Amino acid sequence: KLYTLTKRQFLFSFISFFGLFTASLLIGWIGPSVINVVSSDQGIETNKSVLSMLSPKLSMSQQQLWLQIQVKLTQDPIKHDEIEKESKLTVPMKVSIYAYTNGTKILLNPDPRAHDRQLQCYEGICNPVTVFHLSYIKYPRYFIEVETSQTLVNGSSFKPIWKSYNVAFTELELWFRFIFLLTAFLTALVLVQSLRGFAFQDWSIEQKWIIFLLIAVMLYDNPLFPLLLITSTPLIAVIDAVFTVTFFCALLMFWLCVYHGMRKAERHFFSFYFVKLCLVGLMWVLGCVVLSWSALYETVDPTFSIGQDQEGFMVVKIFFFVLLSFYILYLLFLLVRAYTELHSMPYFDVRLRFLTTLTVLILLISLVAMSIRFGRAILEKDTVMEITLRWNNAAEFLCFYALFNFYLFTLAFVYSPSRNMMGPKDSTSFAMLSDSEDEVLYRGGKRYLSTNTNQYNDDGEESM
């Protein structure tokens, strides 16, 4: 449809995309809160250097559980005098986690490990510090014992803050993941069915990649997500992380291949794909290793923090940003080369302008959303552990999922064949979109290009 759509139809496609996206944001804005917070100044018992506390009642629909402790200093725990206006303290914490059922306590981590946590305090009031994170709620209540510095216990008061997912948000997340998953499946099915009448070698590089990306976005929507609520195995969390990283890396690979492939007819593995696979593959490996390792290790030790307990994490993050910088430079190079060589060629300028316009809008929305979500905290060492959760509100969840799902649905609509096409020989437009025609354009000589350029200019006012 790319070459048969008029300007009015193109405008309608963009309006439909932003209309659906805005509707999703509004649903998230008026939807339930993501985080359920329970706190009390009377929730902690102290015995020498041990803090004891009992969690509120929980259910599996609350997905995960975090415990934070806010410390209020009554005296300097080191100098034993008046507290300073601003101070930073490093305190050891050894956490024992018990399942609490019918008044009986069952120790869940027989070999608790001590971890250092940093307290940043202003006028004696410290920022809440995350003590542990349970990625799966198996028991209705938990009893926690935190062993720390006795001088800190004697000179401070403590406030427990229990955080978990809101049950209403879990229901909303389940429904929208299912809706996006079903829509992506039906879109892929319709697109494949519409392309069956054409030989595979006549499919454009965009059409081939969109089929692959629709499969990848189904992984991003995660058909296995309900299993996270009913099973405690870390394998499901690892699969969820791999699915997410795979989708975004596939999207990065798609942009590189399309902008390079438009001006290169012969796409051999080593000359075309190898460098791109190495660059994007390294980012995929880093993302999968970091997220999978964190999910696996938190199952063994819920007090583990990859941001605070692993010195090499900052090195990995720097390496990832270096790879991302190389990717951006490479993509910009391919984009400039594509516009330089193809902007005056018929049909190709339409492909460039449409894909670039929609992709730039997607990236701008993503950057704005991430800036609002994280700000400069994404560069800090302990971003992963601190209670950022996955979402601050339902609008953030729907923003990212709706954005990328609707992006691919729009691409699938625009790059699908027109209804009046019965086969690859019935339409010059489809032939111009195909890989075989790319080769003709580059090898067919100036006569072919000039003839089609004149024809395109005559029809330019009616269609894009």
Side-chain angles (χ1 to χ4, degrees):
K1 294 185 179 71
L2 181 63
Y3 302 135
T4 61
L5 293 177
T6 64
K7 293 181 179 180
R8 183 179 301 174
Q9 291 171 325
F10 267 104
L11 182 61
F12 177 75
S13 299
F14 280 94
I15 292 176
S16 299
F17 168 79
F18 281 105
L20 291 171
F21 177 68
T22 303
S24 300
L25 287 182
L26 291 176
I27 292 173
W29 185 262
I30 63 177
S33 60
V34 175
I35 306 171
N36 182 43
V37 182
V38 178
S39 61
S40 174
D41 293 329
Q42 308 297 324
I44 290 184
E45 297 180 359
T46 59
N47 182 14
K48 295 183 179 180
S49 62
V50 178
L51 309 176
S52 303
M53 62 211 81
L54 183 64
S55 74
K57 291 184 178 180
L58 303 166
S59 67
M60 290 189 299
S61 297
Q62 291 175 265
Q63 300 189 39
Q64 303 176 37
L65 177 66
W66 286 262
L67 171 62
Q68 291 182 306
I69 293 181
Q70 185 174 38
V71 180
K72 184 176 181 182
L73 303 176
T74 55
Q75 66 177 14
D76 192 304
I78 299 177
K79 300 178 182 179
H80 301 287
D81 54 10
E82 294 185 0
I83 58 175
E84 299 179 357
K85 186 174 183 179
E86 294 185 15
S87 58
K88 291 184 179 180
L89 302 173
T90 300
V91 295
M93 289 188 177
K94 181 184 290 187
V95 183
S96 298
I97 304 173
Y98 298 85
Y100 189 82
T101 56
N102 300 324
T104 303
K105 295 188 296 183
I106 304 173
L107 183 61
L108 301 180
N109 57 335
D111 185 23
R113 304 174 185 179
H115 298 279
D116 290 337
R117 295 289 178 257
Q118 287 191 344
L119 302 179
Q120 297 182 353
C121 308
Y122 182 79
E123 294 183 348
I125 300 177
C126 304
N127 291 335
V129 59
T130 302
V131 176
F132 77 90
H133 166 223
L134 290 177
S135 57
Y136 172 74
I137 297 176
K138 186 176 181 180
Y139 299 96
R141 303 191 82 171
Y142 291 88
F143 184 82
I144 310 299
E145 291 182 347
V146 180
E147 184 178 349
T148 185
S149 169
Q150 186 169 353
T151 56
L152 177 68
V153 174
N154 294 336
S156 310
S157 59
F158 302 89
K159 178 181 179 180
I161 303 174
W162 303 91
K163 294 189 176 183
S164 60
Y165 283 97
N166 190 349
V167 175
F169 171 76
T170 299
E171 295 175 355
L172 180 142
E173 186 175 10
L174 283 168
W175 274 109
F176 272 93
R177 280 181 181 268
F178 173 74
I179 292 171
F180 288 139
L181 176 66
L182 181 61
T183 307
F185 173 76
L186 294 176
T187 303
L189 196 64
V190 171
L191 182 58
V192 170
Q193 182 67 25
S194 67
L195 291 170
R196 284 185 62 189
F198 305 92
F200 181 75
Q201 61 267 25
D202 289 332
W203 294 13
S204 73
I205 187 172
E206 292 98 327
Q207 289 169 329
K208 295 173 183 176
W209 267 101
I210 289 170
I211 296 294
F212 177 74
L213 287 175
L214 286 171
I215 297 174
V217 82
M218 284 189 275
L219 299 181
Y220 178 55
D221 297 330
N222 195 2
L224 302 180
F225 178 76
L227 295 179
L228 288 171
L229 307 179
I230 60 177
T231 179
S232 59
T233 175
L235 179 62
I236 304 300
V238 171
I239 292 175
D240 180 55
V242 172
F243 282 174
T244 301
V245 176
T246 300
F247 167 69
F248 284 108
C249 287
L251 202 58
L252 296 178
M253 191 72 179
F254 162 69
W255 291 328
L256 290 179
C257 290
V258 167
Y259 283 114
H260 193 189
M262 283 186 188
R263 59 183 183 84
K264 189 175 180 64
E266 296 182 358
R267 306 181 188 113
H268 300 296
F269 176 78
F270 283 102
S271 62
F272 185 81
Y273 290 104
F274 183 72
V275 174
K276 301 176 183 63
L277 281 174
C278 288
L279 181 59
V280 178
L282 282 174
M283 289 192 284
W284 181 83
V285 169
L286 283 178
C288 289
V289 168
V290 170
L291 295 179
S292 300
W293 175 253
S294 176
L296 287 171
Y297 210 94
E298 280 185 352
T299 304
V300 178
D301 181 14
T303 64
F304 167 76
S305 163
I306 194 170
Q308 295 181 351
D309 299 328
Q310 293 291 323
E311 295 298 329
F313 175 68
M314 196 62 183
V315 177
V316 173
K317 184 183 286 190
I318 292 173
F319 185 48
F320 177 82
F321 281 116
V322 170
L323 290 175
L324 186 60
S325 301
F326 277 114
Y327 174 87
I328 294 173
L329 292 175
Y330 187 30
L331 181 61
L332 289 176
F333 168 77
L334 295 177
L335 182 61
V336 171
R337 287 288 300 274
Y339 266 93
T340 302
E341 298 181 14
L342 305 175
H343 76 282
S344 60
M345 297 177 65
Y347 298 96
F348 282 92
D349 64 330
V350 180
R351 294 165 71 176
L352 281 171
R353 284 189 286 122
F354 170 74
L355 181 62
T356 303
T357 301
L358 186 58
T359 300
V360 168
L361 290 173
I362 296 299
L363 292 176
L364 287 176
I365 296 173
S366 300
L367 290 174
V368 170
M370 290 184 66
S371 299
I372 296 174
R373 174 71 179 85
F374 294 106
R376 290 182 298 178
I378 195 171
L379 301 176
E380 297 176 359
K381 179 180 177 181
D382 56 354
T383 300
V384 173
M385 180 59 178
E386 292 303 322
I387 189 92
T388 57
L389 296 177
R390 285 185 295 176
W391 320 106
N392 280 330
N393 50 65
E396 285 185 1
F397 161 72
L398 288 176
C399 172
F400 285 99
Y401 275 84
L403 182 66
F404 292 107
N405 276 274
F406 291 147
Y407 172 64
L408 292 179
F409 300 160
T410 304
L411 291 180
F413 168 75
V414 172
Y415 284 106
S416 62
S418 298
R419 293 182 180 180
N420 59 354
M421 294 184 186
M422 301 303 295
K425 302 301 182 181
D426 293 341
S427 173
T428 304
S429 297
F430 190 87
M432 287 297 297
L433 188 61
S434 68
D435 293 343
S436 59
E437 190 64 24
D438 292 348
E439 188 173 356
V440 172
L441 281 170
Y442 279 97
R443 296 182 179 180
K446 296 182 179 178
R447 179 181 176 185
Y448 183 88
L449 291 176
S450 61
T451 302
N452 282 278
T453 302
N454 294 333
Q455 179 182 357
Y456 173 75
N457 290 336
D458 293 338
D459 299 336
E461 294 182 359
E462 282 300 321
S463 66
M464 297 291 287

